[in-house]
């Protein structure tokens, strides 16, 4: 099938299968951590803090990670990040097995994973181009990678919901620990012809400045990244409050919470499959704009859904919108950034996406404490719709300006 055409490349196929298993474990642990923290504390603010520390390193370290990845062997960096992630998962598993319910320790381990992820995500995304021989298939590989991520987002929380209610939290954490075995096995089986860059004479700080000048100097790249920043700061963090919706608003349990995560994952897969079937990357800006509007409106609908089935239905639509938005921006950056700046451009994508969510998570937790969870999610949905309107207006004015400039050139 055309949608799976990137799997004909051996390296990408190994990467795809290994990550598929590992990401299910990651989502099992993520679901278990959220449920455990809220079960132990009943605090929306602490939920926000855990989300904050697991992602804030991406805001601080992502540009630095992009420069590191651009000057070192990306394959080796990826292996190192996976090994460290496995050790972190093992520490989590043994802590919960021995019932050491220590919130500061949970926050510390979440922070460690966030630091690793700042390098891991940038490295994985920039390595994608080396796994696909025909660069025309790169958008398909990116979309398939997103499909894999979001299938794991369905399966992981669904499995976690069953495991949490049947066997307990420790089994979820051990499941994540063991899931790193196949991904490391697949990485060692890959035969990547990765070009090791010549060690730059420039300092990391100089390369950071070059990366910023490149991204900020390209109006198309910078506008897409700014749109993602707004979404990650004000809209995507609505998901932080879903344990409260599951437990307090809809009187559910861990399994109910897993339904919320799985519903959003289902919508994400629908978007990812659609994007994987695209034959070109010409309409990415239009797709991103429509997806952003769908995302904002569906978050508004979740805020005031009166029944659980309605809430889950709107969660599916949030997944459709969020996935199409983030994946379209990711694909646009990877296909438009020049090779020498690709990792650094991707690092700003990671910073705008992963780095802003933790600040938004804290804001969401604070808003939920002050106004209640429904009003907090409603405000986030409204901001999402407004941000989309401003982006579309900017693009129209930009197109009008280019049209005027083109006419002026013809007159001359």
């Amino acid at each position: 099938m055309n949608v799976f055409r990137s799997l004909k490349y051996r390296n990408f196929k190994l990467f795809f299968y290994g990550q598929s298993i590992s990401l299910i474990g990651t989502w099992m642990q993520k679901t278990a951590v959220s449920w455990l923290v809220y079960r132990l504390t009943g605090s929306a603010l602490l939920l926000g803090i855990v989300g904050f520390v697991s992602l804030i390193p991406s805001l601080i370290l992502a540009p630095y990670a992009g420069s590191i990845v651009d000057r070192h062997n990306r394959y080796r960096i990826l292996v190192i990040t996976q090994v460290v992630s496995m050790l972190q998962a093992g520490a989590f598993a043994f802590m919960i097995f021995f019932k050491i319910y220590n919130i500061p320790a949970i926050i510390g381990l979440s922070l460690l994973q966030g630091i690793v992820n700042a390098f891991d995500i940038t490295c994985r995304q920039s390595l994608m181009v080396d796994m696909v021989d025909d660069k025309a298939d790169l958008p398909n590989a990116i979309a398939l990678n997103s499909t894999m991520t979001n299938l794991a987002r369905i399966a992981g929380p669904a499995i976690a919901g069953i495991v949490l209610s049947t066997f307990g939290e420790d089994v979820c954490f051990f499941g994540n620990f063991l899931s790193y075995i196949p991904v490391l096995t697949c990485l060692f089986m890959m035969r990547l012809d990765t070009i090791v860059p010549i060690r730059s004479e420039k300092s990391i700080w100089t390369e950071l400045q070059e990366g910023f000048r490149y991204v900020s100097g390209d109006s198309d790249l910078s506008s897409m990244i700014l749109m993602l920043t707004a979404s990650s700061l004000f809209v995507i963090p609505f998901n932080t409050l879903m344990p409260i919706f599951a437990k307090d608003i809809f009187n559910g349990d861990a399994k109910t919470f897993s339904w919320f995560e799985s519903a959003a994952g289902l919508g994400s897969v629908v978007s990812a499959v659609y994007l994987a079937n695209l034959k070109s990357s010409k309409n990415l800006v239009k797709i991103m704009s429509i997806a952003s509007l769908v995302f904002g409106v569906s978050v508004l609908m979740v805020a005031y859904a009166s029944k659980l089935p309605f809430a889950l239905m709107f969660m599916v639509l949030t997944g459709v919108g969020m996935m199409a938005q983030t994946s379209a921006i990711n694909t646009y950056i990877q296909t438009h950034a020049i090779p020498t700046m690709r990792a650094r451009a991707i690092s700003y994508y990671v910073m705008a996406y992963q780095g802003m969510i933790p600040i938004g998570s804290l804001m969401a937790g604070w808003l939920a404490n002050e106004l209640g969870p429904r009003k907090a999610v409603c405000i986030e949905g409204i901001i999402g719709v407004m941000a989309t309107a401003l982006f579309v207006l900017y693009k129209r004015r930009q197109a009008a300006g280019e049209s005027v400039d083109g006419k002026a050139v013809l007159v001359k």
Side-chain angles (χ1 to χ4, degrees):
M1 287 179 66
N2 191 47
V3 69
F4 297 115
R5 61 185 180 273
S6 298
L7 293 180
K8 65 187 176 187
Y9 306 110
R10 183 178 185 275
N11 290 321
F12 181 74
K13 181 164 64 176
L14 285 168
F15 172 81
F16 183 87
Y17 291 146
Q19 286 289 328
S20 295
I21 298 170
S22 178
L23 287 170
I24 290 174
T26 299
W27 275 100
M28 285 176 64
Q29 177 170 298
K30 184 179 183 297
T31 304
V33 167
S34 294
W35 184 256
L36 177 67
V37 169
Y38 194 63
R39 179 178 69 80
L40 293 175
T41 67
S43 170
L45 187 58
L46 272 173
L47 266 180
I49 289 172
V50 170
F52 177 84
V53 300
S54 65
L55 294 173
I56 192 62
S58 293
L59 177 63
I60 301 167
L61 298 176
Y64 177 77
S67 295
I68 291 290
V69 170
D70 268 340
R71 58 164 62 194
H72 291 88
N73 188 312
R74 288 169 285 185
Y75 172 76
R76 288 181 184 173
I77 294 174
L78 186 60
V79 171
I80 291 168
T81 59
Q82 294 299 302
V83 170
V84 176
S85 294
M86 185 179 187
L87 293 174
Q88 184 264 1
F92 237 139
F94 280 102
M95 187 178 78
I96 303 304
F97 179 76
F98 289 109
K99 301 191 184 307
I100 305 171
Y101 297 135
N102 187 301
I103 296 299
I106 291 172
I107 292 172
L109 285 171
S110 298
L111 176 63
L112 173 62
Q113 188 61 60
I115 293 170
V116 174
N117 282 346
F119 292 86
D120 178 73
I121 295 171
T122 301
C123 187
R124 259 190 293 145
Q125 296 289 345
S126 62
L127 195 62
M128 197 84 65
V129 71
D130 296 319
M131 299 181 196
V132 179
D133 298 337
D134 185 351
K135 301 307 174 266
D137 288 330
L138 181 60
N140 176 259
I142 295 168
L144 278 182
N145 183 52
S146 298
T147 305
M148 167 186 68
T149 302
N150 289 289
L151 280 172
R153 189 179 178 184
I154 298 172
I159 295 169
I162 296 168
V163 171
L164 284 169
S165 57
T166 309
F167 302 105
E169 289 135 353
D170 53 341
V171 178
C172 277
F173 291 102
F174 273 110
N176 185 40
F177 172 70
L178 294 174
S179 74
Y180 283 98
I181 295 174
V183 72
L184 285 169
T185 302
C186 288
L187 281 175
F188 291 134
M189 289 173 65
M190 290 169 69
R191 294 195 292 266
L192 275 177
D193 187 21
T194 306
I195 299 172
V196 180
I198 299 170
R199 187 62 60 89
S200 174
E201 297 295 325
K202 300 174 184 175
S203 67
I204 289 288
W205 177 246
T206 301
E207 292 193 344
L208 284 174
Q209 290 177 310
E210 287 178 352
F212 178 77
R213 281 197 296 269
Y214 171 69
V215 171
S216 60
D218 188 313
S219 61
D220 292 325
L221 284 178
S222 58
S223 64
M224 295 285 265
I225 289 173
L226 283 173
M227 180 64 202
L228 182 60
T229 300
S231 185
S232 299
L233 186 60
F234 298 113
V235 193
I236 295 175
F238 89 96
N239 203 41
T240 306
L241 305 177
M242 289 307 101
I244 304 172
F245 272 66
K247 188 172 185 291
D248 296 343
I249 293 177
F250 294 109
N251 301 311
D253 53 15
K255 192 178 291 186
T256 312
F257 171 47
S258 74
W259 291 345
F260 276 84
E261 292 285 6
S262 294
L266 176 61
S268 298
V269 168
V270 172
S271 275
V273 170
Y274 168 75
L275 290 167
N277 272 306
L278 289 178
K279 295 180 179 178
S280 73
S281 55
K282 290 181 180 177
N283 296 317
L284 288 174
V285 174
K286 183 178 180 181
I287 290 169
M288 193 280 293
S289 302
I290 295 170
S292 300
L293 181 62
V294 170
F295 187 28
V297 172
S298 56
V299 168
L300 268 172
M301 296 297 101
V302 168
Y304 288 105
S306 56
K307 303 287 184 181
L308 180 58
F310 292 133
L312 295 176
M313 180 180 71
F314 294 130
M315 281 298 292
V316 172
L317 290 175
T318 67
V320 170
M322 185 179 76
M323 168 63 217
Q325 179 195 62
T326 56
S327 187
I329 294 171
N330 182 11
T331 305
Y332 186 91
I333 292 170
Q334 293 214 40
T335 52
H336 286 75
I338 61 174
T340 54
M341 288 287 179
R342 184 177 289 115
R344 275 169 278 184
I346 291 169
S347 73
Y348 280 96
Y349 164 84
V350 173
M351 184 173 70
Y353 183 28
Q354 301 273 27
M356 288 297 161
I357 291 175
I359 299 174
S361 295
L362 280 183
M363 290 169 57
W366 176 77
L367 270 177
N369 271 343
E370 295 296 316
L371 305 175
R374 286 194 184 274
K375 286 184 179 177
V377 173
C378 176
I379 290 170
E380 293 188 311
I382 291 170
I383 293 173
V385 173
M386 291 174 62
T388 305
L390 288 172
F391 177 83
V392 171
L393 182 63
Y394 167 76
K395 280 295 177 183
R396 285 183 177 176
R397 286 187 175 179
Q398 185 185 45
E402 289 173 356
S403 176
V404 169
D405 290 342
K407 288 178 181 177
V409 169
L410 288 172
V411 170
K412 286 182 182 179

